DNA sequence: GACTTTCTGGAATGCTTGGTCTATTTAAGG
DNA sequence: CCTTAAATAGACCAAGCATTCCAGAAAGTC
């Protein structure tokens, strides 16, 4: 009956992610979105409601992509401790592209500080990452890789905090060395809590 | 000769700090500034040039105030290690006012991501805090409180990263527990590097 | 007490922006 | 082949914004 749409929602969202990640919400103008997505203005509004609706979809998608990625690594078979270290080391990649685009989620926390809808999405993402870390840490304890005396949640929260710190400071032009050291310190913290670390 | 100004620059700046900290740059409207500062529009432009000029002055002032405060604590007489722990514990206060206004400097990094002037100010502030931490850590080593084998700069950078992470995540309504745990982990990291911590 | 320089208050301006409206095209169903 | 519902293209609109302009007031100086 009706004319089918010519654009792909997923592809459009991915392009929008890139736009918002680079320029932020306010500095991403609707005409820029229209051009970059190769979509007509009206279709944009039909599909997403308004600019904020698009942004919300973008934020969720970005979070899904990024955090799913980490969680998959954390839950992959093998040593939970090694998986954890692999994920942490992954953040060091920020150093090589510094100044990086930065974490969209972290930016959302600043740009939409009093938009309860956005904050709820952000909080859910933070919670998910934190829970993933905590689960990996508990698994490491169960596997005898991590000392039973350490508190998985406390370390998970600390790691999560550090990760969002990196997603923020990586925006700074001269932060490559900072990132490397921060990641190294995170790894050292985990090592110190590992069984081989101080219970030899 | 001329009519003297009736407003106090310092007081005006302090009020502007509060405004920008709460609402961010874009959402702080010039009429709001005019009203809150109790200053007429033209005087504002005469004094600071434009909105960005005011913001830059505000950012510098905020950074001076906050970081001078930490540095003074870090350099106060007595045990460098205890001073460091005192400063770190200070961040736990964020938990009690969570969601907090958040760190103006951290917000600047997001809101003015491609304003080189703002970024330079931010970087200088990050450097200053990091240097303060590093100096305290070296002093602690010199005092025999901290193991000589740890790298002061690495820990300083990690602490700095965590602190800005806190300044960001404290915006999240449910982050009080997160903040407490992150601070506890920072303290644990320092304790682990202390001489009494593992070289008894 | 007059003069000059700055401050003050508010109106005016011009630009940028997100969002909408209308006419037109497109493709599938009967 | 005609109908129909949706997508497209681009002009259009109205609101919000930072900034400037202008006339009047105030306060030191000579």
């Amino acid at each position: 009956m009706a004319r089918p749409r010519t654009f792909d929602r997923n592809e459009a969202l991915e392009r929008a992610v890139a736009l918002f990640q680079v320029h932020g919400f306010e500095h991403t103008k609707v005409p820029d979105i229209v051009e970059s997505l190769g979509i007509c203005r009206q279709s944009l509004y039909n599909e997403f409601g308004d600019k904020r609706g698009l942004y919300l979809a973008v934020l969720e998608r970005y979070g899904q992509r990024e955090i799913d990625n980490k969680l998959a690594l954390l839950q992959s078979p093998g040593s939970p401790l090694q998986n954890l270290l692999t994920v942490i080391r992954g953040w060091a990649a920020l150093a090589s592209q510094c100044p990086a685009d930065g974490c969209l989620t972290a930016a959302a926390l600043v740009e939409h500080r009093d938009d309860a809808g956005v904050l709820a999405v952000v909080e859910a993402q933070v919670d998910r990452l934190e829970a993933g870390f905590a689960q990996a840490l508990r698994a490491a304890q169960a596997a005898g890789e991590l000392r039973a005396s350490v508190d998985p949640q406390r370390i998970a929260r600390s790691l999560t905090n550090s990760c969002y710190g990196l997603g923020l400071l990586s925006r700074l032009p001269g932060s490559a060395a900072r990132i490397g050291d921060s990641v190294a310190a995170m790894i050292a913290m985990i090592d110190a809590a590992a069984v081989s670390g101080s219970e030899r």
Side-chain angles (χ1 to χ4, degrees), chain A:
Chain A
M1 281 211 265
R3 175 181 177 180
R5 65 165 48 121
T6 63
F7 67 93
D8 177 49
R9 189 179 205 267
N10 287 330
E11 189 181 338
L13 270 180
E14 284 301 333
R15 288 174 185 271
V17 166
L19 277 184
F20 281 125
Q21 193 175 8
V22 172
H23 300 112
F25 180 79
E26 312 256 18
H27 292 98
T28 301
K29 312 301 182 188
V30 174
D32 297 341
I33 299 173
V34 167
E35 186 191 14
S36 171
L37 269 59
I39 193 182
C40 83
R41 210 188 187 84
Q42 189 65 40
S43 298
L44 183 73
Y45 284 94
N46 286 342
E47 186 69 22
F48 300 105
D50 57 5
K51 188 184 174 185
R52 178 178 174 276
L54 171 64
Y55 180 80
L56 225 43
V58 157
L59 184 61
E60 300 229 36
R61 186 182 189 80
Y62 172 87
Q64 293 296 328
R65 163 152 55 79
E66 291 296 314
I67 298 183
D68 281 356
N69 177 26
K70 315 298 183 202
L71 292 187
L73 284 172
L74 285 174
Q75 294 161 3
S76 57
S79 156
L81 195 67
Q82 286 307 315
N83 290 340
L84 182 60
L85 291 174
T86 300
V87 169
I88 301 295
R89 280 193 210 99
W91 256 276
L94 281 173
S96 63
Q97 42 180 317
C98 181
D101 289 338
C103 175
L104 188 66
T105 309
L109 207 42
V110 171
E111 294 182 303
H112 300 265
R113 58 187 78 191
D114 38 32
D115 181 327
V118 171
L119 290 183
V121 174
V122 170
E123 181 146 34
Q125 291 181 8
V126 174
D127 278 342
R128 228 156 75 86
L129 181 62
E130 178 184 307
F133 280 147
Q135 189 191 341
L137 288 161
R138 282 193 297 269
Q141 280 182 329
E145 297 179 323
L146 202 71
R147 284 192 281 162
S149 59
V150 304
D151 178 0
Q153 185 166 68
R154 197 188 72 183
I155 299 187
R157 283 175 167 163
S158 162
L159 289 176
T160 303
N161 183 66
S162 293
C163 288
Y164 282 99
L166 289 177
L168 182 75
L169 289 188
S170 62
R171 295 183 181 279
L172 223 42
S175 274
R178 258 188 283 268
I179 293 167
D181 275 349
S182 292
V183 170
M186 282 193 264
I187 292 174
M189 182 178 74
I190 296 172
D191 275 341
V195 165
S196 63
S198 70
E199 266 192 6
R200 72 194 64 182

